[in-house]
Every structure is written in C-alpha cells, then in structure tokens.
Amino acid sequence: FIQQKFYSIGIIINFTKHFGDRIVDGAKDDHGKRDDISVEEMIDTFAKLYSHHKRIFKQAADFQDEVKRGEFEGVIKNLMKQINVPFALEFNKTKGKYVMTCKTIMKRKDFHTKDKDHVVEV
C-alpha cells in the first residue's frame, strides 16, 4: 500500500531491516507492554504523510541539488501517535525517481532531531 501510493508520485520507499524489526503484529512483551509499532500504526502514519504532504513530494525536484549532495535527511513525526521515522531522500539517476529510505521507526514523545534534519509533521 505504502510503496504503491508513493510510487505514483515519483517516490520509491525503502525500509531498512531495522525498520522492519520494529514493526510487530500487536503482541505484548513479557511485562504486558508494547513499544514497538503495529502495522496499522505504520500504515496510518504513511497514509497521513501521503495525504498531507504529497504536494511536497511531487515537487521533490526543488530539493534536487541538496539531495544529490546526500544532505537531505529528515524525520517524519506522527504527533498523535508519537511515532518518529528518520529517513534519507536521494535521487536515483538510473530509475529517474527519488528514493526515500526509512531508517527506523520508533515511539518516543521527546525524540530530538539534528539541526540539519527536516521535520515533516503529520
């Protein structure tokens, strides 16, 4: 779902292994707590990102110089769910599309970003 939506506007979404390790099927740990992210929460975060910010991604060419230098990094922040997704965006010349690599996903209310990171709130 996520990859199809973003591909339609020229963005290829990649998820690292670490990202995948943080997604669970809703099972709780031995203490009855769960700080991993459910599939539904992940889909909700990316659906909001798509619906609220697809215009920005369609205009990704505006970031082309910055992306080519490998300096475009950011964090997607789902404020309601306290979900944070650090990502990198780069242009793939071979495919002629932008590739967003989602490095990880985590729940943390007080997640701090680097000064150079772009924050995309949903």
Side-chain angles (χ1 to χ4, degrees), residues 1-120:
F1 167 78
I2 294 167
Q3 290 173 330
Q4 288 176 352
K5 281 284 196 193
F6 281 88
Y7 192 82
S8 72
I9 58 170
I11 304 288
I12 297 169
I13 303 286
N14 285 337
F15 301 102
T16 65
K17 181 182 180 322
H18 182 70
F19 184 100
D21 291 344
R22 298 286 297 153
I23 304 298
V24 297
D25 59 6
K28 297 192 185 311
D29 67 13
D30 294 338
H31 299 81
K33 295 180 182 177
R34 184 177 61 86
D35 65 349
D36 288 329
I37 290 76
S38 70
V39 172
E40 292 81 16
E41 289 173 316
M42 179 191 70
I43 290 173
D44 177 64
T45 297
F46 280 90
K48 286 179 180 175
L49 175 68
Y50 179 82
S51 67
H52 295 152
H53 299 289
K54 69 181 173 186
R55 177 181 50 84
I56 292 170
F57 290 109
K58 280 185 178 180
Q59 298 169 349
D62 294 343
F63 305 123
Q64 191 167 354
D65 290 337
E66 197 173 356
V67 171
K68 282 184 179 178
R69 291 193 305 265
E71 297 174 3
F72 193 88
E73 294 188 352
V75 177
I76 301 161
K77 289 183 158 250
N78 182 333
L79 301 176
M80 292 185 70
K81 302 279 186 178
Q82 300 176 355
I83 293 175
N84 304 282
V85 181
F87 70 91
L89 186 67
E90 61 187 354
F91 188 74
N92 183 312
K93 290 180 185 178
T94 307
K95 295 182 180 182
K97 301 227 182 258
Y98 284 89
V99 177
M100 176 189 283
T101 301
C102 300
K103 301 174 186 179
T104 188
I105 186 168
M106 69 193 95
K107 280 187 183 177
R108 181 176 285 165
K109 183 178 183 176
D110 59 348
F111 183 76
H112 298 286
T113 61
K114 299 177 211 167
D115 289 339
K116 69 175 187 167
D117 285 349
H118 300 272
V119 176
V120 183

